[in-house]
Amino acid sequence: KPLVPILNRPLLGIIIDQLRAAGVERLAVNTHHLPADVATFVEEHAAGMETRIFHEPEILGTGGGIKNTESFWNDAPLLVINSDILTDINLAEVYTYHSSHDCPVTLVMYDCRRFNSVKINPRMEVMDFSSRGKPLNPGERILTFTGIQVIEAGFLDHFPPGISHSIDTYMRLIRNGGAIQTYIPQNRFWRDVGSLQDYLRIHRELLNREIILERVVPSMTGPIVSGTSLRMETGARIDGWACAGDNVVIKKNGRVQNSVLWD
């Protein structure tokens, strides 16, 4: 999924560019499926950054995958971002906000009714991760964890080795009296694009200018975008919205409508 293109740009490339713009100089990427393809892309696209690939023959989970990169980090907090999201959240602001409080973890939250499940108290601290549909007290909110977080390097000691899930580690911290801070961006966009339905939806919204993300992807001038060397044979046509990659051929009398065609 990290290499799936959004308007002909691999999603991982978009994220790496955002990390670079935020001042990130060292990049760790964990891999499982098609690891050589991901590693090659990172080597080519993250030029100038110190990078390391951490391959997981067996998926280690949301906590184990972070723990597995522990040897790469120094004492600075690390910023973690999922690779199947599209967002214009300012990552530098997230990192700066983390340094303004004493909690070991900052989770970036977003109001997405479809996924809202994390309960937050009036001090913007996480109370629970499974509160969907449960009653709230005054000042409490239910929001979605975006997959973006900042973690103190020393806190990685709390993640168990091997397969683990970060929510389990965070709930142990909360039950033991610790706190996890949240950051809630204002006037920003976030979307999970990790399913086929959501992948097509984001293309429709971008190409029809239902959403505009000029900080992340170029502003669309029309509902059709193509890469290099698009060839349309006699009678071929494109209707509605469409994104075509490099060297796409639409054969004689072929019709493409509301579709994404890869290279």
Side-chain angles (χ1 to χ4, degrees):
K1 285 193 291 187
L3 296 184
V4 166
I6 302 291
L7 296 177
N8 293 330
R9 290 183 61 202
L11 184 53
L12 182 57
I14 294 173
I15 293 173
I16 289 175
D17 289 345
Q18 290 175 298
L19 291 169
R20 195 195 309 272
V24 171
E25 298 176 348
R26 308 178 76 233
L27 176 70
V29 178
N30 62 327
T31 64
H32 176 69
H33 184 57
L34 301 179
D37 293 346
V38 176
T40 297
F41 181 84
V42 170
E43 181 180 358
E44 294 173 350
H45 198 81
M49 303 173 77
E50 182 182 353
T51 62
R52 187 181 301 178
I53 303 295
F54 290 86
H55 180 56
E56 300 177 21
E58 180 180 18
I59 293 177
L60 297 175
T62 55
I66 296 172
K67 177 72 171 181
N68 193 44
T69 69
E70 188 172 21
S71 62
F72 186 60
W73 308 113
N74 50 33
D75 294 334
L78 56 143
L79 187 149
V80 181
I81 181 168
N82 288 359
S83 58
D84 59 355
I85 63 172
L86 184 69
T87 183
D88 64 354
I89 292 172
N90 189 312
L91 301 179
E93 289 181 1
V94 172
Y95 199 85
T96 298
Y97 175 79
H98 176 78
S99 65
S100 71
H101 60 76
D102 296 327
C103 296
V105 179
T106 298
L107 303 184
V108 180
M109 296 293 170
Y110 192 82
D111 187 2
C112 180
R113 183 178 301 179
R114 175 180 165 193
F115 296 118
N116 285 352
S117 62
V118 183
K119 183 190 290 189
I120 299 168
N121 66 24
R123 296 186 300 278
M124 295 180 63
E125 298 168 346
V126 173
M127 301 176 66
D128 191 15
F129 288 89
S130 56
S131 294
R132 186 176 184 85
K134 296 180 181 179
L136 298 175
N137 294 317
E140 295 177 348
R141 304 175 66 182
I142 302 287
L143 296 174
T144 295
F145 173 46
T146 61
I148 304 171
Q149 56 188 313
V150 182
I151 307 172
E152 290 293 321
F155 188 75
L156 295 184
D157 293 340
H158 293 262
F159 288 90
I163 299 172
S164 72
H165 300 286
S166 56
I167 288 177
D168 296 335
T169 298
Y170 296 156
M171 285 307 301
R172 281 195 298 272
L173 171 67
I174 293 169
R175 286 193 293 265
N176 290 330
I180 293 177
Q181 190 70 19
T182 65
Y183 176 83
I184 306 172
Q186 302 298 314
N187 302 315
R188 295 288 182 169
F189 176 85
W190 174 89
R191 179 71 57 78
D192 184 315
V193 294
S195 72
L196 178 59
Q197 179 182 12
D198 291 323
Y199 178 73
L200 292 174
R201 176 187 174 193
I202 196 69
H203 277 86
R204 183 203 76 209
E205 292 173 329
L206 288 168
L207 290 167
N208 287 335
R209 294 180 65 82
E210 297 169 36
I211 58 173
I212 298 173
L213 298 177
E214 292 183 346
R215 302 183 186 96
V216 182
V217 295
S219 180
M220 300 298 100
T221 57
I224 299 172
V225 167
S226 65
T228 60
S229 303
L230 171 66
R231 191 170 91 244
M232 300 180 66
E233 296 186 351
T234 304
R237 73 179 197 264
I238 298 175
D239 297 328
W241 58 265
C243 178
D246 293 341
N247 304 310
V248 167
V249 178
I250 303 178
K251 302 293 283 185
K252 182 178 179 180
N253 297 323
R255 176 172 176 255
V256 172
Q257 181 177 22
N258 301 340
S259 300
V260 179
L261 308 178
W262 290 357
D263 294 351

